[in-house]
Amino acid sequence: MNSPTRKTEFTTGDHPLSVTHEVMNQPRPLENYNLYEQDTALREAVLREGAGHACEDLSRFGTWAGKAETIELGQQANANKPTFRTHDRYGHRIDEVTFHPSYHELMRVALENGLHSTPWTAPGQGAHVARAAKYYMHSQVEAAHCCPVTMTFAAIPSLRNQPDLAKVWSPKVLTNAYDSRNVPDSEKTAVTIGMAMTEKQGGSDVRANTTRAHALGPEGPGQAYELVGHKWFVSAPMCDAFLVLAQTQRGLSCFLMPRWRPDGSKNPWQVQQLKNKMGNVANASSEVEVRGALAWMVGEEGRGVRTIIDMVAMTRFDCMIGSAAGMRQAVAQATHHCHHRSAFGARLSEQPLMQNVLADLIIENEAALAYTMRVARAMDNQNNEHERLLARLATPVGKYWICKRTPNHAYEAMECIGGSGVMEDCIMPRLLRESPVNAIWEGSGNVQCLDTLRALQKEPETLDAFFKETGEAKGADRRFDQHLAQLQHDFADISDFQYRARNLVDRMALALQGSLLLRYGDKDVADAFCASRLQNNGGMNYGNLPSGTNPTAIIKRGTPVVG
Ligand SMILES: Cc1cc2nc3c(=O)[nH]c(=O)nc-3n(C[C@H](O)[C@H](O)[C@H](O)COP(=O)(O)OP(=O)(O)OC[C@H]3O[C@@H](n4cnc5c(N)ncnc54)[C@H](O)[C@@H]3O)c2cc1C
């Protein structure tokens, strides 16, 4: 039996009779370990998907991400919520959100490490893969501040629809630096970008937006407008500019709205209040009124959704990375705890029923990671038609599935730790509170399923690409072959797709995950995945691996070793 112990200190004098107990059978904190080197599945995925050149950098980053001081940054950024002031003491409107220094430090590290930039500044083999791997580790430290990092990253494809604006803004967006000052962007060399689509009367259906745009002179792409209206959710309101949707005569259009006007005065974009969120609390989200704010049109007039969807597609991809990362952190905490905790005469990680739960949680995480990194490779190869079609379909399917699988995963991992897992001085409550967010923003679950349908209708070849990709594993496992054949059969008729969409999209995600694990994954993980997810054995909760699977090997693979 293991039992790393820490003796209690005398608290009431030195008399031996005053010693109440010895602290034992408690694990040491999971800290000072390398998040990259101690994550076998991640290292394998990086090599497999073409980012082998980044291993050294990722290992260096992994050391930083596992340090006790780094972990404390995440804790502090959440313990000290951002605060908001409309005016300064003299009555000037300032719209200033103040964050704890730990938030700024996390932002600095993220941006100096190019989490918002590298696939755009140094595209090519493995660029998205390497960035996804780094984001995966960074997000495990603290997920909420990754929101502005993602939005800044994702803004580039939309901005490129307006080359004159992109020429001015891209250099400052893409520089690997962080400038948190509340000053005009003209005084900065590094800026961050947010997005504002959602309004009170409609978030998923942005066609209902009522914010209006009035041309200041000539109309059309790149021209200056003033916007009047409101936005109901605007995260990271201290960003230097936002991609915003507003109505013109020709319909919903996309605009770039800076927080300051070029003359250095404040753009009348006024934050009303911060949202009172159950999770994602280190990140500020706000409600905003727009009172004649200057903005430039991005892309074609009346095609705002088409323009901003390039940004949204990237943020959806980051939701997949973020949720897979949440799963990994939950797995790391649960396996570490159960390795160092004993009950009824054995380590928890050796009790058969706990083995089943832990191995099942690891499988879910490995499947999510394999899927995400495969999509990252597709993004690195968008000039290849198969990869383009695959990314188009696999992004909404994966965003739906991976994000939706995360909340219950976080809860099960918390339960592995028992009562201590519920306490606010560990990361588990934060992982649980963070877990629904990715599923809801950037297009909620049903919206992802409907987007899958849209892709199938607009480009039926996406389905061919999907089945070509998944079919690569045919013959490797009988249960997989049956799953795939049934899925293909059920796609022969998609007349009532909307009603059946969740069922079909669930099974698509499982098919791609199964295919990837069978082709490239660990054989015990792949076998247990097929046994538990591709054939119906009646169980709905985690811990439903059937007999014959190998939890010991899976748990060994998933458990981080602290030096
Ligand atoms: C923490 C947080 C931060 C956010 N930050 C931002 C931000 O920075 N910028 C921004 O623009 N927005 C932001 N949002 C808003 C977010 O994108 C929206 O909440 C989301 O898109 C859903 O829109 P809604 O809230 O209006 O819900 P609704 O659109 O009313 O949807 C409610 C439910 O109905 C479902 N639904 C919608 N249409 C259909 C349909 N046709 N068939 C079946 N089901 C359907 C949806 O899937 C959802 O489950 C943020 C949200 C959160 C929670």
Side-chain angles (χ1 to χ4, degrees), residues 151 195-198 202-205 233-235 277 280 285 437 440-447 450:
M151 292 193 293
M195 77 197 308
M197 299 187 291
T198 311
S204 308
D205 188 3
F233 278 91
V234 180
S235 288
K277 295 180 284 184
N280 196 253
S285 301
V437 177
I440 292 174
W441 65 14
E442 306 305 336
S444 309
N446 288 355
V447 171
L450 296 176

Side-chain angles (χ1 to χ4, degrees), residues 327-382:
M327 285 187 194
R328 172 59 195 162
Q329 183 57 211
V331 156
Q333 296 289 341
T335 53
H336 172 78
H337 181 90
C338 292
H339 182 70
H340 292 288
R341 174 87 170 170
S342 300
F344 300 99
R347 285 177 203 257
L348 282 174
S349 58
E350 289 164 2
Q351 301 277 13
L353 184 49
M354 182 58 95
Q355 286 196 317
N356 199 323
V357 175
L358 290 174
D360 212 357
L361 291 172
I362 292 168
I363 290 163
E364 192 69 35
N365 172 227
E366 289 215 15
L369 178 66
Y371 189 111
T372 302
M373 296 302 254
R374 178 64 186 90
V375 176
R377 168 151 61 98
M379 287 182 169
D380 279 328
N381 294 282
Q382 284 294 283

